[in-house]
Amino acid sequence: MPTRGKPMQKLFVAVALGLALPAAATAQTISGTNHDLSARGWGSTELCVFCHTPHNATTAVTAAPLWNHGVTAVASYGTYASATLNATVGQPGDISKLCLSCHDGTVAIDTYGTRTGTNFMTGGALVGTNLSNDHPVGFTYDATLATADGGLKDPTTPATIAPARLFAGKMECASCHNAHSDQYGKFLRGSNAGSGLCLACHSK
Ligand code: HEC
Ligand code: HEC
Ligand code: HEC
Ligand code: HEC
């Protein structure tokens, strides 16, 4: 039966690819997630344009990656406080303001480039402008803070707190979230099963 070996081999290869491809393809992709706004009828069927542009990016927020979305003008967010907090929590940094430009509800989701949108964030994804009931962002997290807290990892070596990360040494929304991948749900940087993401920084 000389014809049998080949189709079987092909089938094996196809199954192997079939299993391998989706895993590789879902690793880092916006397509099909809640951040894929391309099918909403909001003036573009592109993926990146709602947040980035190769030209004429805004300079309203420094350190923003070629930002194309309308930038929040909120000057003073409510900030987290507690009796046991050691960090000096300030206003969210520019990296957090990128998220808040859709999630604080003050700028329409479909305001980007030269377009002024009309669709605002609602429901559970609306974080709002009072961040006093949210995990603190907008502060320096360094070895000194880790020592003062006593239950935090020293982030001097970035790998220590992976998959979480800091932005110019600071905690921001994207320390825990990755706007580009919903691989772990809720656009988290890593799985939070067993609170794994929390334990990336906290030793509890
Ligand atoms: C819903 C908003 C949103 C969309 C859509 C989006 N991004 Fe981003 N992007 C961000 C935010 C916020 C940051 C800054 C935070 C960070 O670096 O994780 C960023 C950072 C980046 C960076 C710099 C940091 C890095 O990860 O290398 C690149 C490059 C980038 N995006 C490329 C893209 C491309 C390409 C697309 C489309 C395929 C895209 N983004 C779509 C929000 C978005
Ligand atoms: C261009 C607007 C825009 C930007 C910028 C943006 N988001 Fe979103 N985000 C959305 C929309 C739209 C949804 C879906 C809301 C809904 O389901 O009602 C969403 C949903 C989410 C969700 C909920 C996901 C789920 O599965 O329920 C999280 C978490 C989130 N975003 C985090 C972030 C973070 C963190 C940033 C910055 C790194 C960010 N987003 C930047 C528009 C944006
Ligand atoms: C310390 C880590 C951490 C930081 C910092 C953080 N988040 Fe989250 N966020 C989470 C986790 C974990 C969840 C998922 C919670 C759950 O599933 O119950 C979440 C959920 C969300 C959701 C979805 C809420 C829902 O009900 O669907 C949004 C939107 C969101 N975050 C936006 C933000 C924004 C905007 C910032 C910055 C202002 C931010 N996050 C900062 C860890 C964080
Ligand atoms: C990227 C690192 C990082 C991640 C990930 C992280 N945290 Fe934090 N968290 C911090 C830092 C830094 C502080 C400030 C601690 C201080 O001031 O002593 C903090 C503060 C807190 C506080 C307030 C402590 C107080 O004394 O008021 C709580 C509670 C907390 N985190 C819980 C969580 C939970 C739950 C998660 C997972 C959903 C999480 N954190 C994920 C870094 C992180």
Side-chain angles (χ1 to χ4, degrees):
M1 309 242 280
T3 48
R4 235 185 124 182
K6 251 187 173 174
M8 280 299 280
Q9 260 176 347
K10 270 187 189 160
L11 181 70
F12 177 77
V13 169
V15 168
L17 282 176
L19 289 174
L21 275 176
T26 49
Q28 281 275 330
T29 181
I30 295 159
S31 181
T33 70
N34 275 335
H35 281 171
D36 176 357
L37 307 177
S38 65
R40 301 240 187 161
W42 288 345
S44 176
T45 54
E46 292 176 22
L47 286 176
C48 316
V49 70
F50 297 96
C51 294
H52 305 285
T53 179
H55 302 289
N56 295 317
T58 180
T59 49
V61 270
T62 53
L66 291 169
W67 199 245
N68 198 34
H69 194 267
V71 177
T72 179
V74 172
S76 183
Y77 290 87
T79 54
Y80 176 83
S82 91
T84 47
L85 195 71
N86 298 283
T88 308
V89 178
Q91 288 296 307
D94 278 355
I95 284 285
S96 294
K97 283 191 175 171
L98 303 181
C99 312
L100 291 165
S101 291
C102 282
H103 285 281
D104 75 9
T106 65
V107 183
I109 304 165
D110 49 336
T111 291
Y112 66 93
T114 55
R115 178 186 165 105
T116 304
T118 52
N119 296 282
F120 292 83
M121 197 68 76
T122 56
L126 175 62
V127 175
T129 59
N130 185 353
L131 306 181
S132 65
N133 59 355
D134 300 293
H135 191 288
V137 294
F139 64 92
T140 298
Y141 170 19
D142 57 11
T144 309
L145 179 62
T147 305
D149 181 277
L152 280 174
K153 292 185 187 165
D154 177 351
T156 307
T157 306
T160 315
I161 60 164
R165 61 163 293 188
L166 303 177
F167 290 82
K170 291 190 164 190
M171 279 288 298
E172 303 293 353
C173 308
S175 292
C176 299
H177 292 282
N178 176 359
H180 305 119
S181 170
D182 209 16
Q183 187 183 1
Y184 303 106
K186 304 283 180 191
F187 296 105
L188 292 175
R189 286 207 167 263
S191 168
N192 205 24
S195 296
L197 186 61
C198 314
L199 295 170
C201 298
H202 293 274
S203 316
K204 292 278 184 237

